[in-house]
Amino acid sequence: MTGVDPEAAPRAAAETPDIAALDHLVATCRACPRLVAWREEVAVVKRAAFRDEPYWGRPVPGFGPADARMLVVGLAPAAHGGNRTGRMFTGDPSGNVLFGALHAVGLATGARPVSRDDGIELLSTRLTAPVHCAPPENKPTPEERQRCAPFLSRELELLRPTLRVIVVLGAFGWQALFTVLLTGGWNVPRPRPRFAHGAHVVITHPDGRSVTVLGSYHVSQRNTATGRVTAAMVEDVLSRAKTIAES
């Protein structure tokens, strides 16, 4: 889409005709001043290990095919991962765990994501996040999540013909997803389903659609270092999701 005010990009999401147009719109967004300032500061200051590399320093769009049967929802790009490489879960330890698990269950062609042009492809799976900019301390505000929500809402609608299952990494993404589903007219139970590793909820829509939502602890460095979540645990959730997506 051309001619869209970058500060109003989320409001234009509903008009995007396809996933490619949505991804382009996401990458132009400047709707959250705090996040814009932080992502761009990180891209200039850089981490010492990456001081000779150019940083993406923009919102990170989703990654994966436009006809995906499975959607994996995280939290937000990492400052020196997605914010550096320009691709979700690429270039940091969290991405290594997730892509390793995706590859192990046959949903990715590679297990070590390092850059946008490393040749790895996702198979019938797409990665996204409720917040597309790297936030300070990995903590988006509720207002920033709400401002970014139209992107996830539109992504779900564009995936409508094929989407069968959503895997949510962490409580933040779980809450954000169910808020978007509720606003999108889905029949979200009351009280809302609680997040847990291994949570399994089937959500229906008045138009006859249904989608299965599975929960997994986030693959953050803190969770993997403490053993709260292991590669085997993530592989188990993804394997169950793949079975549902293919059924």
mmCIF file of all heavy atoms in Angstrom, residues 145-193:
data_model
loop_
_atom_site.group_PDB
_atom_site.id
_atom_site.type_symbol
_atom_site.label_atom_id
_atom_site.label_comp_id
_atom_site.label_asym_id
_atom_site.label_seq_id
_atom_site.Cartn_x
_atom_site.Cartn_y
_atom_site.Cartn_z
ATOM 1 N N ARG A 145 0.259 -2.589 22.771
ATOM 2 C CA ARG A 145 -0.333 -3.834 22.282
ATOM 3 C C ARG A 145 -1.668 -3.549 21.582
ATOM 4 O O ARG A 145 -1.944 -4.094 20.511
ATOM 5 C CB ARG A 145 -0.558 -4.801 23.443
ATOM 6 C CG ARG A 145 -1.017 -6.190 22.998
ATOM 7 C CD ARG A 145 -1.392 -7.051 24.176
ATOM 8 N NE ARG A 145 -2.651 -6.618 24.778
ATOM 9 C CZ ARG A 145 -3.132 -7.098 25.912
ATOM 10 N NH1 ARG A 145 -2.453 -8.005 26.593
ATOM 11 N NH2 ARG A 145 -4.294 -6.663 26.380
ATOM 12 N N GLN A 146 -2.459 -2.681 22.173
ATOM 13 C CA GLN A 146 -3.762 -2.342 21.581
ATOM 14 C C GLN A 146 -3.595 -1.631 20.243
ATOM 15 O O GLN A 146 -4.333 -1.889 19.298
ATOM 16 C CB GLN A 146 -4.548 -1.454 22.552
ATOM 17 C CG GLN A 146 -5.947 -1.118 22.071
ATOM 18 C CD GLN A 146 -6.723 -0.287 23.088
ATOM 19 O OE1 GLN A 146 -6.191 0.089 24.127
ATOM 20 N NE2 GLN A 146 -7.973 0.002 22.789
ATOM 21 N N ARG A 147 -2.594 -0.746 20.168
ATOM 22 C CA ARG A 147 -2.362 0.000 18.931
ATOM 23 C C ARG A 147 -1.918 -0.924 17.800
ATOM 24 O O ARG A 147 -2.244 -0.706 16.637
ATOM 25 C CB ARG A 147 -1.308 1.075 19.188
ATOM 26 C CG ARG A 147 -1.376 2.272 18.250
ATOM 27 C CD ARG A 147 -0.443 3.377 18.716
ATOM 28 N NE ARG A 147 -0.916 3.973 19.947
ATOM 29 C CZ ARG A 147 -0.166 4.209 21.032
ATOM 30 N NH1 ARG A 147 1.108 3.882 21.039
ATOM 31 N NH2 ARG A 147 -0.687 4.757 22.095
ATOM 32 N N CYS A 148 -1.189 -1.977 18.143
ATOM 33 C CA CYS A 148 -0.663 -2.909 17.141
ATOM 34 C C CYS A 148 -1.679 -3.990 16.770
ATOM 35 O O CYS A 148 -1.506 -4.691 15.773
ATOM 36 C CB CYS A 148 0.607 -3.563 17.696
ATOM 37 S SG CYS A 148 1.808 -4.105 16.455
ATOM 38 N N ALA A 149 -2.734 -4.132 17.560
ATOM 39 C CA ALA A 149 -3.689 -5.243 17.395
ATOM 40 C C ALA A 149 -4.318 -5.356 16.008
ATOM 41 O O ALA A 149 -4.573 -6.475 15.537
ATOM 42 C CB ALA A 149 -4.785 -5.140 18.455
ATOM 43 N N PRO A 150 -4.597 -4.238 15.303
ATOM 44 C CA PRO A 150 -5.206 -4.397 13.971
ATOM 45 C C PRO A 150 -4.366 -5.220 12.998
ATOM 46 O O PRO A 150 -4.924 -5.854 12.088
ATOM 47 C CB PRO A 150 -5.356 -2.948 13.487
ATOM 48 C CG PRO A 150 -5.490 -2.144 14.733
ATOM 49 C CD PRO A 150 -4.565 -2.813 15.716
ATOM 50 N N PHE A 151 -3.049 -5.235 13.187
ATOM 51 C CA PHE A 151 -2.209 -6.056 12.305
ATOM 52 C C PHE A 151 -2.498 -7.540 12.520
ATOM 53 O O PHE A 151 -2.659 -8.303 11.559
ATOM 54 C CB PHE A 151 -0.727 -5.772 12.553
ATOM 55 C CG PHE A 151 -0.281 -4.394 12.155
ATOM 56 C CD1 PHE A 151 0.483 -3.618 13.022
ATOM 57 C CD2 PHE A 151 -0.608 -3.859 10.918
ATOM 58 C CE1 PHE A 151 0.916 -2.349 12.660
ATOM 59 C CE2 PHE A 151 -0.196 -2.588 10.542
ATOM 60 C CZ PHE A 151 0.579 -1.831 11.420
ATOM 61 N N LEU A 152 -2.546 -7.980 13.776
ATOM 62 C CA LEU A 152 -2.832 -9.386 14.060
ATOM 63 C C LEU A 152 -4.246 -9.747 13.645
ATOM 64 O O LEU A 152 -4.495 -10.825 13.093
ATOM 65 C CB LEU A 152 -2.627 -9.667 15.553
ATOM 66 C CG LEU A 152 -2.900 -11.106 16.022
ATOM 67 C CD1 LEU A 152 -2.057 -12.107 15.235
ATOM 68 C CD2 LEU A 152 -2.648 -11.238 17.516
ATOM 69 N N SER A 153 -5.171 -8.830 13.870
ATOM 70 C CA SER A 153 -6.557 -9.069 13.476
ATOM 71 C C SER A 153 -6.668 -9.305 11.969
ATOM 72 O O SER A 153 -7.327 -10.255 11.519
ATOM 73 C CB SER A 153 -7.422 -7.868 13.886
ATOM 74 O OG SER A 153 -8.753 -8.054 13.487
ATOM 75 N N ARG A 154 -5.999 -8.466 11.190
ATOM 76 C CA ARG A 154 -6.049 -8.616 9.737
ATOM 77 C C ARG A 154 -5.322 -9.878 9.278
ATOM 78 O O ARG A 154 -5.755 -10.560 8.346
ATOM 79 C CB ARG A 154 -5.442 -7.378 9.055
ATOM 80 C CG ARG A 154 -5.562 -7.394 7.536
ATOM 81 C CD ARG A 154 -7.002 -7.499 7.093
ATOM 82 N NE ARG A 154 -7.147 -7.468 5.645
ATOM 83 C CZ ARG A 154 -8.230 -7.898 5.004
ATOM 84 N NH1 ARG A 154 -9.267 -8.378 5.670
ATOM 85 N NH2 ARG A 154 -8.299 -7.833 3.688
ATOM 86 N N GLU A 155 -4.231 -10.199 9.952
ATOM 87 C CA GLU A 155 -3.487 -11.404 9.604
ATOM 88 C C GLU A 155 -4.370 -12.644 9.766
ATOM 89 O O GLU A 155 -4.386 -13.533 8.904
ATOM 90 C CB GLU A 155 -2.248 -11.512 10.496
ATOM 91 C CG GLU A 155 -1.203 -12.479 10.034
ATOM 92 C CD GLU A 155 0.131 -12.264 10.725
ATOM 93 O OE1 GLU A 155 0.179 -11.568 11.762
ATOM 94 O OE2 GLU A 155 1.130 -12.803 10.221
ATOM 95 N N LEU A 156 -5.126 -12.685 10.852
ATOM 96 C CA LEU A 156 -6.036 -13.810 11.068
ATOM 97 C C LEU A 156 -7.088 -13.889 9.965
ATOM 98 O O LEU A 156 -7.432 -14.981 9.491
ATOM 99 C CB LEU A 156 -6.715 -13.681 12.430
ATOM 100 C CG LEU A 156 -5.821 -13.881 13.656
ATOM 101 C CD1 LEU A 156 -6.590 -13.530 14.928
ATOM 102 C CD2 LEU A 156 -5.303 -15.310 13.721
ATOM 103 N N GLU A 157 -7.613 -12.754 9.559
ATOM 104 C CA GLU A 157 -8.634 -12.742 8.514
ATOM 105 C C GLU A 157 -8.063 -13.172 7.162
ATOM 106 O O GLU A 157 -8.711 -13.896 6.401
ATOM 107 C CB GLU A 157 -9.281 -11.354 8.406
ATOM 108 C CG GLU A 157 -10.264 -11.068 9.515
ATOM 109 C CD GLU A 157 -11.368 -12.116 9.582
ATOM 110 O OE1 GLU A 157 -12.058 -12.330 8.571
ATOM 111 O OE2 GLU A 157 -11.532 -12.743 10.644
ATOM 112 N N LEU A 158 -6.853 -12.722 6.855
ATOM 113 C CA LEU A 158 -6.252 -13.088 5.573
ATOM 114 C C LEU A 158 -5.885 -14.568 5.522
ATOM 115 O O LEU A 158 -5.842 -15.178 4.444
ATOM 116 C CB LEU A 158 -5.014 -12.219 5.309
ATOM 117 C CG LEU A 158 -5.312 -10.743 5.000
ATOM 118 C CD1 LEU A 158 -4.028 -9.922 4.997
ATOM 119 C CD2 LEU A 158 -6.042 -10.601 3.666
ATOM 120 N N LEU A 159 -5.626 -15.161 6.693
ATOM 121 C CA LEU A 159 -5.319 -16.594 6.756
ATOM 122 C C LEU A 159 -6.584 -17.447 6.851
ATOM 123 O O LEU A 159 -6.507 -18.677 6.914
ATOM 124 C CB LEU A 159 -4.420 -16.887 7.967
ATOM 125 C CG LEU A 159 -2.987 -16.366 7.890
ATOM 126 C CD1 LEU A 159 -2.290 -16.554 9.239
ATOM 127 C CD2 LEU A 159 -2.191 -17.051 6.787
ATOM 128 N N ARG A 160 -7.722 -16.798 6.859
ATOM 129 C CA ARG A 160 -9.004 -17.457 7.092
ATOM 130 C C ARG A 160 -9.243 -18.726 6.265
ATOM 131 O O ARG A 160 -9.731 -19.734 6.788
ATOM 132 C CB ARG A 160 -10.124 -16.450 6.833
ATOM 133 C CG ARG A 160 -11.527 -17.017 6.871
ATOM 134 C CD ARG A 160 -12.535 -15.918 6.632
ATOM 135 N NE ARG A 160 -13.899 -16.441 6.565
ATOM 136 C CZ ARG A 160 -14.980 -15.669 6.528
ATOM 137 N NH1 ARG A 160 -14.851 -14.366 6.540
ATOM 138 N NH2 ARG A 160 -16.187 -16.208 6.464
ATOM 139 N N PRO A 161 -8.918 -18.746 4.967
ATOM 140 C CA PRO A 161 -9.236 -19.955 4.177
ATOM 141 C C PRO A 161 -8.487 -21.206 4.620
ATOM 142 O O PRO A 161 -8.942 -22.319 4.353
ATOM 143 C CB PRO A 161 -8.828 -19.555 2.747
ATOM 144 C CG PRO A 161 -8.824 -18.058 2.748
ATOM 145 C CD PRO A 161 -8.366 -17.674 4.121
ATOM 146 N N THR A 162 -7.333 -21.042 5.272
ATOM 147 C CA THR A 162 -6.496 -22.219 5.553
ATOM 148 C C THR A 162 -6.198 -22.447 7.025
ATOM 149 O O THR A 162 -5.842 -23.561 7.415
ATOM 150 C CB THR A 162 -5.145 -22.096 4.815
ATOM 151 O OG1 THR A 162 -4.509 -20.859 5.191
ATOM 152 C CG2 THR A 162 -5.345 -22.110 3.302
ATOM 153 N N LEU A 163 -6.294 -21.417 7.859
ATOM 154 C CA LEU A 163 -5.833 -21.511 9.245
ATOM 155 C C LEU A 163 -6.645 -22.524 10.047
ATOM 156 O O LEU A 163 -7.871 -22.456 10.089
ATOM 157 C CB LEU A 163 -5.912 -20.129 9.912
ATOM 158 C CG LEU A 163 -5.340 -20.031 11.333
ATOM 159 C CD1 LEU A 163 -3.846 -20.317 11.332
ATOM 160 C CD2 LEU A 163 -5.623 -18.661 11.934
ATOM 161 N N ARG A 164 -5.945 -23.442 10.719
ATOM 162 C CA ARG A 164 -6.610 -24.464 11.520
ATOM 163 C C ARG A 164 -6.179 -24.438 12.985
ATOM 164 O O ARG A 164 -6.940 -24.867 13.861
ATOM 165 C CB ARG A 164 -6.298 -25.862 10.941
ATOM 166 C CG ARG A 164 -6.803 -26.071 9.518
ATOM 167 C CD ARG A 164 -8.318 -26.089 9.456
ATOM 168 N NE ARG A 164 -8.814 -26.238 8.078
ATOM 169 C CZ ARG A 164 -9.109 -25.219 7.280
ATOM 170 N NH1 ARG A 164 -8.968 -23.979 7.713
ATOM 171 N NH2 ARG A 164 -9.553 -25.429 6.049
ATOM 172 N N VAL A 165 -4.962 -24.008 13.254
ATOM 173 C CA VAL A 165 -4.450 -24.081 14.627
ATOM 174 C C VAL A 165 -3.508 -22.906 14.899
ATOM 175 O O VAL A 165 -2.782 -22.455 14.009
ATOM 176 C CB VAL A 165 -3.741 -25.440 14.879
ATOM 177 C CG1 VAL A 165 -2.568 -25.631 13.931
ATOM 178 C CG2 VAL A 165 -3.289 -25.577 16.322
ATOM 179 N N ILE A 166 -3.567 -22.409 16.129
ATOM 180 C CA ILE A 166 -2.695 -21.318 16.569
ATOM 181 C C ILE A 166 -1.933 -21.782 17.800
ATOM 182 O O ILE A 166 -2.541 -22.244 18.775
ATOM 183 C CB ILE A 166 -3.506 -20.051 16.905
ATOM 184 C CG1 ILE A 166 -4.355 -19.607 15.717
ATOM 185 C CG2 ILE A 166 -2.574 -18.912 17.343
ATOM 186 C CD1 ILE A 166 -5.314 -18.459 16.031
ATOM 187 N N VAL A 167 -0.624 -21.670 17.769
ATOM 188 C CA VAL A 167 0.220 -21.971 18.928
ATOM 189 C C VAL A 167 0.671 -20.644 19.515
ATOM 190 O O VAL A 167 1.264 -19.818 18.817
ATOM 191 C CB VAL A 167 1.440 -22.825 18.529
ATOM 192 C CG1 VAL A 167 2.370 -23.019 19.729
ATOM 193 C CG2 VAL A 167 0.992 -24.174 17.975
ATOM 194 N N VAL A 168 0.397 -20.444 20.786
ATOM 195 C CA VAL A 168 0.733 -19.180 21.446
ATOM 196 C C VAL A 168 1.874 -19.413 22.428
ATOM 197 O O VAL A 168 1.795 -20.291 23.300
ATOM 198 C CB VAL A 168 -0.475 -18.586 22.184
ATOM 199 C CG1 VAL A 168 -0.130 -17.202 22.716
ATOM 200 C CG2 VAL A 168 -1.684 -18.506 21.269
ATOM 201 N N LEU A 169 2.929 -18.615 22.284
ATOM 202 C CA LEU A 169 4.096 -18.724 23.157
ATOM 203 C C LEU A 169 4.004 -17.680 24.266
ATOM 204 O O LEU A 169 4.272 -16.503 24.055
ATOM 205 C CB LEU A 169 5.377 -18.512 22.351
ATOM 206 C CG LEU A 169 5.576 -19.424 21.131
ATOM 207 C CD1 LEU A 169 6.841 -19.038 20.376
ATOM 208 C CD2 LEU A 169 5.628 -20.889 21.552
ATOM 209 N N GLY A 170 3.597 -18.106 25.447
ATOM 210 C CA GLY A 170 3.584 -17.212 26.597
ATOM 211 C C GLY A 170 2.249 -16.555 26.876
ATOM 212 O O GLY A 170 1.376 -16.450 26.005
ATOM 213 N N ALA A 171 2.105 -16.081 28.124
ATOM 214 C CA ALA A 171 0.849 -15.506 28.596
ATOM 215 C C ALA A 171 0.523 -14.183 27.918
ATOM 216 O O ALA A 171 -0.647 -13.872 27.692
ATOM 217 C CB ALA A 171 0.911 -15.317 30.111
ATOM 218 N N PHE A 172 1.540 -13.379 27.582
ATOM 219 C CA PHE A 172 1.284 -12.096 26.925
ATOM 220 C C PHE A 172 0.606 -12.319 25.579
ATOM 221 O O PHE A 172 -0.419 -11.706 25.264
ATOM 222 C CB PHE A 172 2.591 -11.314 26.745
ATOM 223 C CG PHE A 172 2.410 -9.953 26.123
ATOM 224 C CD1 PHE A 172 2.280 -8.830 26.908
ATOM 225 C CD2 PHE A 172 2.361 -9.805 24.738
ATOM 226 C CE1 PHE A 172 2.112 -7.564 26.335
ATOM 227 C CE2 PHE A 172 2.180 -8.554 24.158
ATOM 228 C CZ PHE A 172 2.063 -7.433 24.963
ATOM 229 N N GLY A 173 1.177 -13.212 24.779
ATOM 230 C CA GLY A 173 0.597 -13.505 23.473
ATOM 231 C C GLY A 173 -0.782 -14.128 23.586
ATOM 232 O O GLY A 173 -1.672 -13.851 22.777
ATOM 233 N N TRP A 174 -0.977 -14.960 24.613
ATOM 234 C CA TRP A 174 -2.271 -15.618 24.846
ATOM 235 C C TRP A 174 -3.351 -14.563 25.095
ATOM 236 O O TRP A 174 -4.413 -14.582 24.486
ATOM 237 C CB TRP A 174 -2.132 -16.547 26.037
ATOM 238 C CG TRP A 174 -3.318 -17.382 26.388
ATOM 239 C CD1 TRP A 174 -4.325 -17.057 27.257
ATOM 240 C CD2 TRP A 174 -3.615 -18.708 25.906
ATOM 241 N NE1 TRP A 174 -5.227 -18.087 27.360
ATOM 242 C CE2 TRP A 174 -4.822 -19.119 26.545
ATOM 243 C CE3 TRP A 174 -2.990 -19.585 25.024
ATOM 244 C CZ2 TRP A 174 -5.400 -20.365 26.303
ATOM 245 C CZ3 TRP A 174 -3.565 -20.828 24.785
ATOM 246 C CH2 TRP A 174 -4.756 -21.200 25.419
ATOM 247 N N GLN A 175 -3.057 -13.631 25.989
ATOM 248 C CA GLN A 175 -4.026 -12.578 26.300
ATOM 249 C C GLN A 175 -4.305 -11.713 25.078
ATOM 250 O O GLN A 175 -5.456 -11.380 24.774
ATOM 251 C CB GLN A 175 -3.510 -11.710 27.448
ATOM 252 C CG GLN A 175 -4.489 -10.644 27.894
ATOM 253 C CD GLN A 175 -3.964 -9.816 29.058
ATOM 254 O OE1 GLN A 175 -2.862 -10.036 29.554
ATOM 255 N NE2 GLN A 175 -4.749 -8.860 29.501
ATOM 256 N N ALA A 176 -3.241 -11.363 24.359
ATOM 257 C CA ALA A 176 -3.402 -10.516 23.170
ATOM 258 C C ALA A 176 -4.230 -11.224 22.106
ATOM 259 O O ALA A 176 -5.107 -10.624 21.473
ATOM 260 C CB ALA A 176 -2.035 -10.136 22.612
ATOM 261 N N LEU A 177 -3.961 -12.502 21.883
ATOM 262 C CA LEU A 177 -4.697 -13.246 20.859
ATOM 263 C C LEU A 177 -6.186 -13.307 21.184
ATOM 264 O O LEU A 177 -7.026 -13.058 20.314
ATOM 265 C CB LEU A 177 -4.145 -14.659 20.720
ATOM 266 C CG LEU A 177 -4.970 -15.549 19.788
ATOM 267 C CD1 LEU A 177 -4.828 -15.114 18.330
ATOM 268 C CD2 LEU A 177 -4.589 -17.022 19.945
ATOM 269 N N PHE A 178 -6.526 -13.643 22.431
ATOM 270 C CA PHE A 178 -7.939 -13.784 22.766
ATOM 271 C C PHE A 178 -8.671 -12.439 22.723
ATOM 272 O O PHE A 178 -9.863 -12.390 22.418
ATOM 273 C CB PHE A 178 -8.110 -14.489 24.108
ATOM 274 C CG PHE A 178 -8.054 -15.982 23.981
ATOM 275 C CD1 PHE A 178 -6.887 -16.677 24.253
ATOM 276 C CD2 PHE A 178 -9.157 -16.692 23.537
ATOM 277 C CE1 PHE A 178 -6.823 -18.055 24.108
ATOM 278 C CE2 PHE A 178 -9.117 -18.068 23.386
ATOM 279 C CZ PHE A 178 -7.945 -18.758 23.670
ATOM 280 N N THR A 179 -7.959 -11.356 22.983
ATOM 281 C CA THR A 179 -8.563 -10.033 22.826
ATOM 282 C C THR A 179 -8.908 -9.785 21.359
ATOM 283 O O THR A 179 -10.001 -9.301 21.029
ATOM 284 C CB THR A 179 -7.624 -8.937 23.344
ATOM 285 O OG1 THR A 179 -7.402 -9.135 24.748
ATOM 286 C CG2 THR A 179 -8.215 -7.549 23.139
ATOM 287 N N VAL A 180 -7.990 -10.136 20.468
ATOM 288 C CA VAL A 180 -8.214 -9.956 19.029
ATOM 289 C C VAL A 180 -9.338 -10.879 18.541
ATOM 290 O O VAL A 180 -10.180 -10.474 17.735
ATOM 291 C CB VAL A 180 -6.901 -10.202 18.250
ATOM 292 C CG1 VAL A 180 -7.170 -10.349 16.766
ATOM 293 C CG2 VAL A 180 -5.919 -9.054 18.489
ATOM 294 N N LEU A 181 -9.356 -12.109 19.022
ATOM 295 C CA LEU A 181 -10.421 -13.029 18.621
ATOM 296 C C LEU A 181 -11.788 -12.511 19.065
ATOM 297 O O LEU A 181 -12.770 -12.576 18.311
ATOM 298 C CB LEU A 181 -10.177 -14.422 19.223
ATOM 299 C CG LEU A 181 -9.005 -15.223 18.649
ATOM 300 C CD1 LEU A 181 -8.800 -16.504 19.449
ATOM 301 C CD2 LEU A 181 -9.226 -15.553 17.177
ATOM 302 N N LEU A 182 -11.846 -11.972 20.269
ATOM 303 C CA LEU A 182 -13.108 -11.451 20.783
ATOM 304 C C LEU A 182 -13.590 -10.282 19.948
ATOM 305 O O LEU A 182 -14.752 -10.216 19.548
ATOM 306 C CB LEU A 182 -12.937 -11.023 22.246
ATOM 307 C CG LEU A 182 -14.194 -10.571 22.982
ATOM 308 C CD1 LEU A 182 -15.217 -11.701 23.061
ATOM 309 C CD2 LEU A 182 -13.836 -10.087 24.385
ATOM 310 N N THR A 183 -12.663 -9.368 19.637
ATOM 311 C CA THR A 183 -13.053 -8.216 18.807
ATOM 312 C C THR A 183 -13.408 -8.631 17.387
ATOM 313 O O THR A 183 -14.160 -7.936 16.708
ATOM 314 C CB THR A 183 -11.916 -7.184 18.729
ATOM 315 O OG1 THR A 183 -10.716 -7.689 19.194
ATOM 316 C CG2 THR A 183 -12.207 -5.919 19.389
ATOM 317 N N GLY A 184 -12.876 -9.771 16.950
ATOM 318 C CA GLY A 184 -13.179 -10.265 15.612
ATOM 319 C C GLY A 184 -14.463 -11.077 15.535
ATOM 320 O O GLY A 184 -14.764 -11.646 14.485
ATOM 321 N N GLY A 185 -15.209 -11.125 16.633
ATOM 322 C CA GLY A 185 -16.495 -11.799 16.610
ATOM 323 C C GLY A 185 -16.467 -13.277 16.941
ATOM 324 O O GLY A 185 -17.494 -13.955 16.837
ATOM 325 N N TRP A 186 -15.307 -13.807 17.336
ATOM 326 C CA TRP A 186 -15.223 -15.225 17.677
ATOM 327 C C TRP A 186 -15.945 -15.490 19.003
ATOM 328 O O TRP A 186 -16.077 -14.596 19.845
ATOM 329 C CB TRP A 186 -13.764 -15.655 17.787
ATOM 330 C CG TRP A 186 -13.052 -15.710 16.474
ATOM 331 C CD1 TRP A 186 -12.537 -14.660 15.775
ATOM 332 C CD2 TRP A 186 -12.788 -16.871 15.688
ATOM 333 N NE1 TRP A 186 -11.971 -15.090 14.605
ATOM 334 C CE2 TRP A 186 -12.104 -16.447 14.528
ATOM 335 C CE3 TRP A 186 -13.056 -18.224 15.858
ATOM 336 C CZ2 TRP A 186 -11.689 -17.329 13.532
ATOM 337 C CZ3 TRP A 186 -12.639 -19.113 14.873
ATOM 338 C CH2 TRP A 186 -11.964 -18.665 13.720
ATOM 339 N N ASN A 187 -16.404 -16.713 19.175
ATOM 340 C CA ASN A 187 -17.118 -17.098 20.394
ATOM 341 C C ASN A 187 -16.106 -17.468 21.486
ATOM 342 O O ASN A 187 -15.818 -18.648 21.722
ATOM 343 C CB ASN A 187 -18.048 -18.289 20.109
ATOM 344 C CG ASN A 187 -19.085 -17.959 19.056
ATOM 345 O OD1 ASN A 187 -19.683 -16.895 19.074
ATOM 346 N ND2 ASN A 187 -19.290 -18.882 18.117
ATOM 347 N N VAL A 188 -15.576 -16.458 22.144
ATOM 348 C CA VAL A 188 -14.583 -16.680 23.198
ATOM 349 C C VAL A 188 -15.315 -16.991 24.512
ATOM 350 O O VAL A 188 -16.168 -16.211 24.938
ATOM 351 C CB VAL A 188 -13.683 -15.442 23.369
ATOM 352 C CG1 VAL A 188 -12.735 -15.620 24.545
ATOM 353 C CG2 VAL A 188 -12.894 -15.181 22.082
ATOM 354 N N PRO A 189 -15.007 -18.116 25.137
ATOM 355 C CA PRO A 189 -15.697 -18.492 26.383
ATOM 356 C C PRO A 189 -15.482 -17.454 27.491
ATOM 357 O O PRO A 189 -14.480 -16.745 27.519
ATOM 358 C CB PRO A 189 -15.041 -19.828 26.766
ATOM 359 C CG PRO A 189 -14.397 -20.327 25.526
ATOM 360 C CD PRO A 189 -14.003 -19.118 24.735
ATOM 361 N N ARG A 190 -16.463 -17.400 28.401
ATOM 362 C CA ARG A 190 -16.338 -16.576 29.601
ATOM 363 C C ARG A 190 -16.445 -17.480 30.827
ATOM 364 O O ARG A 190 -17.392 -18.262 30.919
ATOM 365 C CB ARG A 190 -17.443 -15.512 29.630
ATOM 366 C CG ARG A 190 -17.311 -14.476 28.535
ATOM 367 C CD ARG A 190 -18.353 -13.391 28.723
ATOM 368 N NE ARG A 190 -18.262 -12.369 27.681
ATOM 369 C CZ ARG A 190 -19.045 -11.292 27.636
ATOM 370 N NH1 ARG A 190 -19.965 -11.101 28.578
ATOM 371 N NH2 ARG A 190 -18.902 -10.404 26.675
ATOM 372 N N PRO A 191 -15.510 -17.397 31.756
ATOM 373 C CA PRO A 191 -14.296 -16.590 31.691
ATOM 374 C C PRO A 191 -13.367 -17.078 30.575
ATOM 375 O O PRO A 191 -13.496 -18.220 30.133
ATOM 376 C CB PRO A 191 -13.660 -16.798 33.065
ATOM 377 C CG PRO A 191 -14.168 -18.138 33.499
ATOM 378 C CD PRO A 191 -15.558 -18.227 32.974
ATOM 379 N N ARG A 192 -12.484 -16.204 30.179
ATOM 380 C CA ARG A 192 -11.573 -16.574 29.099
ATOM 381 C C ARG A 192 -10.719 -17.777 29.506
ATOM 382 O O ARG A 192 -10.367 -17.933 30.686
ATOM 383 C CB ARG A 192 -10.633 -15.404 28.777
ATOM 384 C CG ARG A 192 -11.296 -14.271 28.049
ATOM 385 C CD ARG A 192 -10.231 -13.334 27.525
ATOM 386 N NE ARG A 192 -10.794 -12.061 27.106
ATOM 387 C CZ ARG A 192 -10.070 -11.102 26.549
ATOM 388 N NH1 ARG A 192 -8.764 -11.259 26.367
ATOM 389 N NH2 ARG A 192 -10.635 -9.963 26.200
ATOM 390 N N PRO A 193 -10.351 -18.601 28.544
ATOM 391 C CA PRO A 193 -9.450 -19.723 28.835
ATOM 392 C C PRO A 193 -8.138 -19.216 29.433
ATOM 393 O O PRO A 193 -7.586 -18.207 28.992
ATOM 394 C CB PRO A 193 -9.214 -20.349 27.456
ATOM 395 C CG PRO A 193 -10.396 -19.925 26.639
ATOM 396 C CD PRO A 193 -10.762 -18.562 27.132
#
